[in-house]
Amino acid sequence: MKRQVSRNLVRLVVSGVLFAASLASAQGTSIDFWYAISGKAGETLQSMIGEFNASNEFGITVNGTFSGSYGDTAQKVLAALAANSLPAGGLVPAGPLWTCREGNYLLEQYMAGPEGLSEDHFFPVLLDYNRYEGHLCSLPFNNSTMVMFYNKDLMAQAGLDPAAPPQTWDELLDQAKAIAKAVPGSIGVEVRDEAWWLKGLILQNGGAIVTEDPTGPAFQEPAGVAALEYWKTLVDQGLMPPAQHDVSRDLFVGGRVAFLMASTATLGTVADGAAFAYGTDLLPGKVERGSTVGGAALVMFPSTPEKELATWRLLKWLTSAENSARFTEATGYVPTGPEAAASETVQSLIREQPAYAAGFDQLAVSSQYPHFFEMGTMDSLLADAIEFVELGIKTPPQALDDAANELNKEIAANQ
Amino acid sequence: MTSYRLGKFFGRSASYVLLIVMSAATAFPFVWMVGTALKSPQEILAYPPTLWPHELRWENFVTVFKKVPFLRFYVNSIIVTCLITLWQVVTSALAGYAFARLHFPFKRFLFTAYIATLIIPGEVTMLPLFLLVSRLGWIDTYQGLTVPFLASAFAVFFLRQFFLTIPHELEEAARLDGAGRWRILLQIVLPLARPALATITLFIFLSEWDNYLWPLIVTNSEAMRTLPIGLRYFVEESGSQLHLMMAGAVMAVLPILLLFFLAQKQFIEGIAMTGSKG
Amino acid sequence: MSRPAPGPGSPTVARRSRLGTWVADLAPYFRKPNSRQEMLMALSFLAPSLLVLVAFVYFPIVWAFGISFTNWQAGAGTTSFVGVKNYVDSLTSGDFQNALKNSLYFLVLKLPIDMALSLLVALLLNQKLRGMSVFRVALFMPVVTSMVAAAAIWRVLYNPSSGFFNTVLNSLGFLSLRWLRDPNLAMPSVVLVALWKGLGYNIVIFLAGLQSISRVYYEAAEIDGATTWQRFRYITLPLLSPVTYFVLLIGVINSFKVFSLVHVLAPDGGPLNSVEVLVFYLYRLTFQRFKFGQGAAVSFILFAIVLGLTFIQQRVAEKRVHYE
């Protein structure tokens, strides 16, 4: 810790001295930039980078390279970190862990610098997602949240009003029951990414997932236990098939599932594949509405002051309201800030495809804990806990306590 | 018909039935893969899935080239894989022969040490190897992509086992005629081991052709990238570019199929030559 | 040790230890000029592969071995020597024991079927019958089919709600099974895919092996009036044994190293982590929890286990494998 602080201090002084000089000399700089998104999103980002290269007034050239899936990119970044061959910037998963945790607070410096940005430019929940130990370590770009997809045809068949999807846990349970009863072979509720929904349920129940600094588990507290009890009810009443959630999206697209809790990123698949009327809405709530967010993050890695400035300029350009809105339009990821969300681009998208609106509304009621080193472990422990409960091996309090103990052990071991 | 012939007839029928059933099961996903390559994005997501598309979209193959520098990836893959394969076959034939026929100290120890390299999972050595290659300045170069793989214990072990099946007498006769080890290897052993050489060439090619993680880690520019990375450009959470990925995958399989047919020719000639009956 | 030493002129040296063996093996080479020449020959044959292996395989392995005694965790931060802690932690961890158990289960389930079936099919394909080349291609197809395509189709087959297998079971009056999502059935389901994917590979190896058996033996047997079984038992099997030994040993090694196939079919490690095999566990440790030190330790434990199995195989096999 001490080493990190002193190293950081040196960085700060050096970069301060070099800053003025670098402003002028960023001219004609060439930087490498890795991104962990593929398909339509990757294509869009690559063409935006091309546009930046052609249009930026500083003569900056960005060499954008696809770095594989989130998992593969983590390996590539790890290797480059060890070999000291990181690119100048990137769009990578778990951004704060590759930056702040390594003592790199460049982003904070540039946010506050002469060409800086106000935090108001972004939604607070997305900034929270990009924090580590109180520092802002990366910027949001391709974020998603979790929404409920509902099959209007199934609702109608069960005599329910397709325009009134469930808003609360109780309504979800009742409507799912009605549909399961009225339509043989149908599945009431399904989920894609179990840990994500459980975390949403905990927030909706007024609970917390992790404690405030220093980060430790809080999901095992009563609000969390009640959330998992609710989950167990859905399974016990035969409304949600246990432990086969990996096929949930296919089943929904196939018209068998009434209510699917899934990432906003699922929207494209559903839009292209569903041969029935469907809608999207916020996740049903209990005490309140809520969900956490996901996605990769824009990062800056240490290089020369010129390259760092060039990278900052790219990041600033990518997260401008106009470009964030365009990225949203092309990919369905949520807009990163209020200005982007209010833009005509996004507003007309919502008018044409109302299904997108739920994701943007969900974001408004989402909250997010900051990055911490064991967050990936926590998600897999939560997924395991859910499975134990679904298969009837552990009770909800037991499963969550065990997961919390495991997580505490891991955190202690990493201290 | 005598009962002997009857038995033969039944044996033959049983062979066919078994082979047909197994072939159907093994070839089916490949057919599905080709079908998917020709589907529209909408049809890919249809559930339950269709095996063969209603409308064949050949333009998917063209789209692949438009969206990513597929030709460049293809050429890189050919260069890298051919270099590695040719070199590995040569180094492995030499080492395999030494382990099969020559006498030298520490032979058992060395052989075990070769085998031992196969046991360590690549996930563990990848990072040290990357650090080494990066210190050599080979990041984003053909050296970085090929040199670490110019030898493999797998091929050495494979060829040694096949050399061991070649009758000693042939070599002894040649030695009495005054032929050296090199001549024996080139003129007697290698020609006799043609099915084995064809097989190992196919296998080395196959494993290098599919190699994904190392090229991803060791290259940073599109100009140096290989096919398996190219296919990943079409991975999408929503799955709606699967048709492009499969079109790319079908094109990527072609060289391996070609090689398989070439290797298979060795088998057929082998069968004609030995006419072996198991 | 039933076999004589490989070196010329050292058949009956007393074997007390492995070191002793090597020293004993060494002695004759410096006596006979002929042997010294052969030694140089061997060196020149081995050098091209050995140089590459030393630089790019052994060196990284030794490096990783060093890492296994540290608490290295991603990038910066302090890394220090922790002795055998990683080894102790791994061996006593429930997750590791589960992974080891799963790997052994995979091996036991897959290898015998794989070897028997691929040998059987290779024998069938080695007949002079019509259409064999078509079957050979068809059976090799899974080896070249993209794993993404293969996984997609197998998931459809295994789908618990409307998959092909359950549709068949239901139409026969049986209840649906949960296949990949059933803690007891997940591993057999994975093994079935692994068999499907890998069978063509071993068939090709066995075919190449069958090709190498000289026709002369079968002709002689025919004259003696040997039955098909006798020909198989007394000619094919013994003469094929070096190849069978290869398939067996590589089969053991690769079973312990299986990862991507499992990862694609069950990215979460399967229900109750029932298919989280050793390399899967190691991958999670290294690239999800960033514990390089412990990841390296796990791989050297795996190394020790497989090397042990290899030695046992060598001992057993040496008595059985028939070399020309």
Side-chain angles (χ1 to χ4, degrees), chain C residues 3-21:
Chain C
R3 260 164 61 89
S10 66
T12 49
V13 182
R15 314 247 153 160
R16 286 181 202 94
S17 66
R18 279 208 169 257
L19 189 67
T21 311

Side-chain angles (χ1 to χ4, degrees), chain A residues 102-377:
Chain A
E102 300 296 327
N104 156 13
Y105 301 96
L106 281 172
L107 194 96
E108 239 172 23
Q109 293 160 29
Y110 279 87
M111 275 291 274
E115 291 189 30
L117 267 177
S118 157
E119 291 203 355
D120 300 340
H121 182 65
F122 301 98
F123 287 124
V125 59
L126 295 183
L127 286 185
D128 288 344
Y129 184 59
N130 286 289
R131 290 185 208 277
Y132 177 83
E133 291 183 346
H135 294 277
L136 182 65
C137 314
S138 49
L139 287 179
F141 185 68
N142 67 322
N143 293 99
S144 45
T145 181
M146 197 175 218
V147 291
M148 176 177 70
F149 293 79
Y150 56 96
N151 182 325
K152 292 185 181 177
D153 290 6
L154 282 178
M155 288 175 75
Q157 282 177 54
L160 299 168
D161 178 7
Q167 301 299 307
T168 65
W169 291 9
D170 292 339
E171 284 176 26
L172 178 65
L173 191 68
D174 291 343
Q175 294 200 12
K177 249 190 245 174
I179 290 168
K181 204 173 147 197
V183 189
S186 69
I187 295 167
V189 182
E190 254 301 359
V191 52
R192 192 172 159 82
D193 198 329
E194 300 94 293
W196 203 353
W197 192 33
L198 181 63
K199 288 189 286 185
L201 290 170
I202 295 172
L203 293 174
Q204 292 150 20
N205 205 18
I209 297 151
V210 294
T211 55
E212 299 282 315
D213 200 49
T215 316
F219 51 74
Q220 76 284 17
E221 284 163 14
V225 172
L228 194 50
E229 295 281 7
Y230 175 70
W231 190 299
K232 187 170 168 9
T233 311
L234 289 174
V235 173
D236 288 350
Q237 302 208 2
L239 303 174
M240 180 161 70
Q244 62 173 52
H245 307 295
D246 53 334
V247 294
S248 59
R249 187 190 66 189
D250 298 340
L251 291 176
F252 182 81
V253 172
R256 306 250 331 255
V257 176
F259 305 105
L260 171 72
M261 314 302 155
S263 159
T264 42
T266 312
L267 203 53
T269 316
V270 174
D272 286 344
F276 52 85
Y278 66 91
T280 57
D281 204 345
L282 304 187
L283 296 176
K286 176 80 173 168
V287 187
E288 54 194 323
R289 296 298 184 104
S291 165
T292 55
V293 298
L298 290 168
V299 294
M300 296 174 70
F301 292 119
S303 51
T304 64
E306 292 81 29
K307 289 192 176 202
E308 285 168 4
L309 179 64
T311 310
W312 169 251
R313 284 171 172 163
L314 171 71
L315 263 48
K316 201 177 154 186
W317 185 83
L318 283 173
T319 54
S320 72
E322 189 202 337
N323 288 321
S324 168
R326 280 168 55 207
F327 189 71
T328 296
E329 186 190 22
T331 62
Y333 281 110
V334 298
T336 51
E339 208 187 320
S343 70
E344 178 50 30
T345 314
V346 171
Q347 288 305 315
S348 72
L349 173 72
I350 294 173
R351 274 196 302 275
E352 280 158 30
Q353 301 188 50
Y356 280 105
F360 306 159
D361 294 343
Q362 181 73 62
L363 189 65
V365 293
S366 294
S367 52
Q368 179 62 47
Y369 48 88
H371 267 74
F372 60 102
F373 192 59
E374 298 80 8
M375 62 193 289
T377 309

Side-chain angles (χ1 to χ4, degrees), chain B residues 38 46 60 83 86 94 102 105 118 124 156 159 161 163 174 182 204 228 252 266:
Chain B
L38 293 165
N60 289 347
L83 267 174
L86 288 176
L94 292 175
L102 300 183
L118 299 173
V124 180
V156 172
L159 289 176
Q161 295 308 99
F163 292 155
W182 284 94
I204 299 170
Q266 299 295 325

Side-chain angles (χ1 to χ4, degrees), chain B residues 26-270:
Chain B
T26 50
F28 173 68
F30 187 81
V31 174
W32 185 82
M33 177 171 142
V34 177
T36 308
L38 293 165
K39 282 179 185 171
S40 66
Q42 282 73 32
E43 199 173 346
I44 281 172
L45 296 165
Y47 195 88
T50 53
L51 174 63
W52 200 250
H54 298 307
E55 179 206 356
L56 301 179
R57 302 215 339 164
W58 295 102
E59 65 264 36
N60 289 347
F61 288 90
V62 182
T63 313
V64 169
F65 285 90
K66 283 187 189 152
K67 292 221 175 197
V68 298
F70 201 71
L71 193 64
R72 177 79 208 202
F73 296 161
Y74 219 107
V75 170
N76 282 342
S77 271
I78 299 238
I79 294 174
V80 168
T81 311
C82 286
L83 267 174
I84 293 176
T85 308
L86 288 176
W87 198 268
Q88 259 196 41
V89 170
V90 172
T91 57
S92 306
L94 292 175
Y97 183 72
F99 282 123
R101 286 289 188 262
L102 300 183
H103 305 289
F104 54 92
F106 299 116
K107 183 167 153 181
R108 287 173 59 90
F109 170 78
L110 264 175
F111 184 63
T112 309
Y114 267 56
I115 302 281
T117 64
L118 299 173
I119 303 173
I120 293 282
E123 283 78 3
V124 180
T125 49
M126 194 193 71
L127 208 64
L129 182 61
F130 178 81
L131 293 173
L132 172 66
V133 165
S134 113
R135 258 169 229 186
L136 290 168
W138 288 356
I139 301 296
D140 221 21
T141 64
Y142 285 118
Q143 298 93 287
L145 284 166
T146 54
V147 176
F149 309 101
L150 293 182
S152 97
F154 178 82
V156 172
F157 183 24
F158 182 93
L159 289 176
R160 171 198 183 246
Q161 295 308 99
F162 277 88
F163 292 155
L164 286 173
T165 64
I166 294 171
H168 260 304
E169 299 85 46
L170 291 168
E171 287 176 62
E172 291 306 322
R175 285 189 83 174
L176 290 179
D177 289 348
R181 287 290 187 188
W182 284 94
R183 247 184 76 194
I184 292 173
L185 178 64
L186 287 175
Q187 294 183 351
I188 297 175
V189 175
L190 292 184
L192 281 173
R194 259 164 62 189
L197 286 171
T199 308
I200 198 65
T201 306
L202 175 70
F203 284 178
I204 299 170
F205 193 91
L206 190 64
S207 79
E208 293 309 320
W209 189 253
D210 282 344
N211 200 355
Y212 163 67
L213 201 58
W214 177 256
L216 178 78
I217 306 260
V218 88
T219 65
N220 292 325
S221 66
E222 274 192 343
M224 290 308 299
R225 293 208 148 161
T226 53
L227 273 179
I229 306 176
L231 296 180
R232 299 302 208 286
Y233 280 69
F234 301 113
V235 173
E236 188 154 24
E237 156 68 12
S238 69
S240 54
Q241 289 194 345
L242 193 63
H243 56 305
L244 299 178
M245 193 173 169
M246 289 303 140
V250 169
M251 289 189 276
V253 158
L254 295 179
I256 295 178
L257 284 183
L258 182 75
L259 205 61
F260 180 77
F261 284 117
L262 290 177
Q264 152 130 311
K265 233 181 115 210
Q266 299 295 325
F267 294 157
I268 296 166
E269 278 169 14

Side-chain angles (χ1 to χ4, degrees), chain C residues 246-266:
Chain C
F246 174 84
V247 174
L248 176 69
L249 214 140
I250 292 294
V252 170
I253 292 175
N254 284 347
S255 290
F256 269 96
K257 282 168 75 181
V258 67
F259 168 60
S260 60
L261 177 118
V262 185
H263 191 247
V264 163
L265 287 172

